[in-house]
Amino acid sequence: MTESLPRISKAVIPAAGLGTRFLPATKATPKEMLPVVDKPAIQYVVEEAVAAGLDDVLMITGRNKRPLEDHFDRNYELEEALSKKGDQNRLAKVQESSDLATMHYVRQGDPRGLGHAVLCAAPHVGREPFAVLLGDDLIDPRDPLLARMVEVQEQHGGSVIALMEVEPDQIHLYGCAAVDAIGESDVVRVTGLVEKPEQADAPSNFAVIGRYVLDPGIFDVLRRTEPGRGGEIQITDALQQLVTGSGEGGPVHGVVFKGRRYDTGDRGDYLRAIVRLACEREDLGPEFRAWLRRYVTEEMQAP
Ligand code: UTP
């Protein structure tokens, strides 16, 4: 909007959910630490924030938070052992995650919903616009979304959400947005939001996915937002108030994402993410693809 606005530099990553869809794997380990090929899902998310120019990262953690903090911290014992062996390649991999960004942590005592998790970021964020990246939502690094959202926020002000068209029978799994075109191919104006509607009640098939660039006005709205669907404080309900103008922090625009995205908190999507990313890796891909081709052929021939 104006050139004097501060550049967005802070990313908030909520990672305090219970991860019940992935039990028992998530009984003692946060779902964000589950490996996607050979990196925990959360590292892709932090890398995405850094690639969009946000290197101040606040993670909202809950129970079992230790592995998350440890992953982004130094591990001197391991580093020394690899150093002694002269294994520079693996040493670099170990150091990569601790050198990525300036990491901060705050604990969400009770997982009272995504809206409540975002509210826990208020003291750290202050009065600047900031980004929210869900820790279990993986956007393929080759399909940049966040950088475009930051650009749209700088252009239009207010708040920006990420939208993706889904099959109508899938919309009940997402927040859903009613939108108006504004003459840009990948940007729309959001006119209404509803959390996980039945197919018949959904205003569109635009699903809200886990990236947001928010005006700090959202915090005041969240403080007033009552628990909604599932007894949780929903970010969608707070955003709906920004849309209707009853809270400072609007207007709300949506960036329509057409790239590859995986919900690593969902078992099927998690498996698809691993297969796809493994196939495309230079080191693992050729051998893995050949095996996968043989496997699929055998499966198709099976009675
Ligand atoms: P989900 O809706 O996936 O919930 O949260 P969940 O509890 O993590 O997982 P399931 O449904 O039980 O399997 C979306 C995002 O919001 C965070 C989660 O960590 C995830 O990144 N979240 C959710 C919080 O940080 N706190 C909460 O109270 C709820």
Side-chain angles (χ1 to χ4, degrees):
M1 248 174 151
T2 67
E3 283 179 23
S4 56
L5 283 176
R7 238 200 81 63
I8 299 173
S9 64
K10 289 180 182 161
V12 173
I13 303 184
L18 295 175
T20 55
R21 285 171 292 164
F22 238 117
L23 283 168
T26 48
K27 185 177 170 193
T29 308
K31 65 176 168 183
E32 292 80 5
M33 284 304 294
L34 296 177
V36 177
V37 190
D38 50 9
K39 267 194 292 195
I42 192 77
Q43 188 173 332
Y44 292 87
V45 178
V46 174
E47 284 171 355
E48 183 192 338
V50 172
L54 319 180
D55 56 8
D56 179 305
V57 175
L58 174 71
M59 208 169 280
I60 315 293
T61 65
R63 76 195 213 305
N64 306 332
K65 65 160 185 168
R66 275 295 292 276
L68 286 165
E69 290 193 18
D70 287 348
H71 184 71
F72 293 100
D73 200 357
R74 302 288 298 269
N75 182 334
Y76 292 106
E77 230 174 42
L78 187 56
E79 287 179 34
E80 204 181 301
L82 291 167
S83 229
K84 271 194 187 143
K85 277 199 210 165
D87 194 340
Q88 295 306 324
N89 193 9
R90 293 200 171 101
L91 179 62
K93 282 186 183 167
V94 167
Q95 288 172 337
E96 206 174 60
S97 54
S98 50
D99 293 342
L100 257 180
T102 308
M103 302 296 299
H104 307 270
Y105 301 89
V106 63
R107 203 155 175 158
Q108 182 190 17
D110 243 348
R112 289 167 55 202
L114 177 56
H116 179 247
V118 171
L119 187 52
C120 294
H124 180 81
V125 167
R127 299 306 299 171
E128 303 164 26
F130 63 105
V132 174
L133 297 85
L134 299 198
D136 57 357
D137 218 331
L138 202 159
I139 301 290
D140 195 294
R142 290 158 302 172
D143 300 324
L145 166 64
L146 193 61
R148 175 69 182 138
M149 294 174 71
V150 168
E151 205 173 85
V152 170
Q153 199 280 339
E154 284 168 354
Q155 192 185 346
H156 293 279
S159 299
V160 179
I161 62 177
L163 301 172
M164 194 164 170
E165 283 194 81
V166 298
E167 294 299 326
D169 64 355
Q170 296 294 299
I171 198 73
H172 69 281
L173 299 170
Y174 298 88
C176 175
V179 303
D180 276 345
I182 58 163
E184 282 185 62
S185 64
D186 64 337
V187 185
V188 289
R189 172 86 182 246
V190 177
T191 58
L193 283 159
V194 43
E195 182 65 16
K196 300 192 170 86
E198 292 303 325
Q199 186 176 338
D201 305 328
S204 75
N205 61 341
F206 279 116
V208 179
I209 58 170
R211 299 290 180 269
Y212 308 79
V213 177
L214 299 172
D215 182 279
I218 191 91
F219 293 130
D220 289 334
V221 177
L222 280 168
R223 282 186 195 101
R224 297 193 302 265
T225 302
E226 297 287 332
R229 214 188 147 90
E232 297 193 334
I233 299 176
Q234 299 284 357
I235 189 86
T236 313
D237 294 342
L239 284 164
Q240 168 63 14
Q241 293 188 47
L242 303 193
V243 168
T244 56
S246 51
E248 189 195 321
V252 179
H253 286 86
V255 169
V256 180
F257 181 63
K258 293 202 160 77
R260 290 154 285 195
R261 172 245 174 205
Y262 312 95
D263 173 3
T264 55
D266 171 83
R267 289 170 301 173
D269 235 15
Y270 174 75
L271 294 173
R272 282 185 280 276
I274 293 180
V275 171
R276 209 156 171 176
L277 293 177
C279 279
E280 289 157 5
R281 279 265 296 254
E282 270 177 30
D283 52 349
L284 300 167
E287 212 181 311
F288 185 66
R289 272 200 308 272
W291 172 83
L292 193 60
R293 219 173 274 128
R294 282 198 306 276
Y295 177 72
V296 171
T297 312
E298 279 164 27
E299 276 293 296
M300 280 165 60
Q301 285 162 357

